[in-house]
Amino acid sequence: MNPTPFVHRTVLLAEAVEALAIKPDGVYVDCTFGRGGHSRLILSRLGPTGRLIAFDKDPEAIAEAERLAAEDSRFTIVHNGFETLGQELARLGVATVNGVLMDLGVSSPQIDDGRRGFSFRFDAPLDMRMDTTRGITAAQWLASAEEDEIKEVIKTYGEERFARKIAAAIVAQRELAPIQTTRELALLVGQNVRTREPGQDPATRTFQAIRIFVNRELDELKAVLPQAARHLAEDGRLAIISFHSLEDRIVKQYLRDASSVEKLPSWVMVRAEDMARPPLETVGKPVRASEEEVRDNARSRSAIMRIAQRTAAPWREGDA
């Protein structure tokens, strides 16, 4: 039986593809295929000799991508996390690319499909894996993790003030019966979050934290940024769409470091014009969804895209 189709509205669709400054004969990477919104628009801008390589971990996204690959020989899909970018490009015989796009976080079909266990809006098995073919589920992790680890994950990745109390409640509950479903977890968290933010379910931060941890989202992001920048050809573009402060903080810091001149000891006398040029330079100001897009798709409200471009400067060892 075919899975239920879920609508996916690609955030910053035109803006992200414009940010890549597509060259018809260029090679591009879409690090998060999703349901192919960005990929299809990139392909529409490429000529016959252009190429697009996409990554995704979700089996349903891979199935959609494979259909596109069967229709368009310029397109290649990789079933793997984007932290393997350098390894996979080497396998495909690609040394440099003209642009890399990252649309971070969870996709709408993953949230809206109650079977996936990402959302407390549905009562479903507590899974939360983007790649359902590998790794442990959220339920399995909660059943075995130490209380301190659970607390740190919820505090760090969810920025939840009541992380200690929630972790203690989870451990106490599993002594009676393991937490197996999204509803069980959401009810337990709700009972231990004393104050609620307007318009936000008390379980929001905890669910976000566990999802990020189970899928190693921030670790993957930290791993891929230098790989993406290092494989860019001169004038190649890097465009990254983030949806929450933890992601954006990592992206902002990386781009700031990679686009800054190398720090020298205070005693070194050198003119500014003689300083080595950094390997990246930021392009424009951060881009946010328009009022019209936010009206049509509320999930675009928190999106922020940062853009950088590869310079002619050699790669610095510290940026690897």
Side-chain angles (χ1 to χ4, degrees):
M1 184 168 60
N2 294 327
T4 305
F6 295 93
V7 175
H8 177 61
R9 296 181 180 179
T10 305
V11 174
L12 294 174
L13 174 58
E15 293 89 340
V17 176
E18 287 297 327
L20 293 176
I22 301 290
K23 297 178 180 179
D25 60 348
V27 180
Y28 294 86
V29 176
D30 182 351
C31 285
T32 45
F33 178 80
R35 290 302 182 268
H38 288 125
S39 283
R40 288 186 173 85
L41 187 54
I42 292 170
L43 286 167
S44 74
R45 305 284 179 88
L46 291 177
T49 60
R51 186 176 185 185
L52 174 62
I53 300 163
F55 289 71
D56 212 294
K57 295 191 289 187
D58 191 312
E60 293 183 13
I62 293 299
E64 178 69 22
E66 287 175 343
R67 286 190 283 271
L68 178 58
E71 300 168 359
D72 195 328
S73 61
R74 302 171 301 168
F75 177 71
T76 302
I77 182 64
V78 177
H79 184 183
N80 216 333
F82 52 62
E83 69 178 341
T84 64
L85 177 69
Q87 168 189 323
E88 293 292 347
L89 289 181
R91 181 180 64 83
L92 294 168
V94 176
T96 60
V97 299
N98 301 97
V100 177
L101 173 62
M102 302 178 197
D103 182 2
L104 304 174
V106 66
S107 69
S108 296
Q110 289 169 331
I111 296 173
D112 294 336
D113 184 351
R115 300 169 301 173
R116 303 297 298 273
F118 284 102
S119 176
F120 44 76
R121 293 187 292 116
F122 310 98
D123 189 19
L126 190 60
D127 193 316
M128 291 196 189
R129 291 172 300 165
M130 291 180 181
D131 187 345
T132 54
T133 68
R134 65 191 82 172
I136 66 169
T137 68
Q140 289 170 332
W141 177 67
L142 288 176
S144 61
E146 297 289 338
E147 182 176 329
D148 279 348
E149 183 184 14
I150 297 172
K151 180 203 71 176
E152 284 303 313
V153 165
I154 296 173
K155 178 182 177 181
T156 303
Y157 297 146
E159 299 178 298
E160 172 59 72
R161 289 180 296 156
F162 302 106
R164 182 180 297 278
K165 191 173 183 182
I166 293 168
I170 288 171
V171 171
Q173 173 59 40
R174 75 188 188 192
E175 295 298 321
L176 303 174
I179 300 170
Q180 300 281 8
T181 70
T182 53
R183 180 164 297 170
E184 289 171 358
L185 178 59
L187 289 173
L188 185 67
V189 173
Q191 293 165 2
N192 289 276
V193 172
R194 294 195 300 273
T195 59
R196 304 186 181 201
E197 297 171 64
Q200 186 180 90
D201 189 282
T204 299
R205 291 178 178 273
T206 297
F207 270 66
Q208 171 186 292
I210 296 173
R211 186 204 85 214
I212 289 173
F213 176 80
V214 166
N215 293 288
R216 300 182 56 256
E217 293 176 39
L218 301 188
D219 291 337
E220 275 207 314
L221 177 57
K222 292 174 183 176
V224 75
L225 286 170
Q227 295 181 59
R230 188 167 61 247
H231 282 86
L232 284 176
E234 184 178 344
D235 295 330
R237 291 286 186 89
L238 175 60
I240 309 162
I241 305 172
S242 306
F243 287 86
H244 58 73
S245 60
L246 296 175
E247 293 172 337
D248 186 53
R249 198 175 303 150
I250 292 169
V251 173
K252 183 178 180 180
Q253 185 63 56
Y254 178 78
L255 295 184
R256 178 186 296 154
D257 292 345
S259 60
S260 300
V261 295
E262 189 173 4
K263 292 182 180 180
L264 297 175
S266 59
W267 50 266
V268 175
M269 303 293 289
V270 62
R271 296 180 304 175
E273 57 266 31
D274 293 331
M275 295 286 288
R277 190 180 180 189
L280 291 182
E281 58 187 10
T282 56
V283 177
K285 296 181 178 180
V287 178
R288 294 187 179 274
S290 66
E291 292 182 4
E292 181 180 3
E293 180 171 4
V294 171
R295 282 197 302 271
D296 292 341
N297 180 11
R299 288 174 180 163
S300 68
R301 185 184 308 277
S302 60
I304 180 170
M305 178 172 65
R306 298 184 185 274
I307 309 162
Q309 181 167 294
R310 187 76 160 88
T311 70
W315 191 254
R316 303 183 306 201
E317 183 178 348
D319 295 311

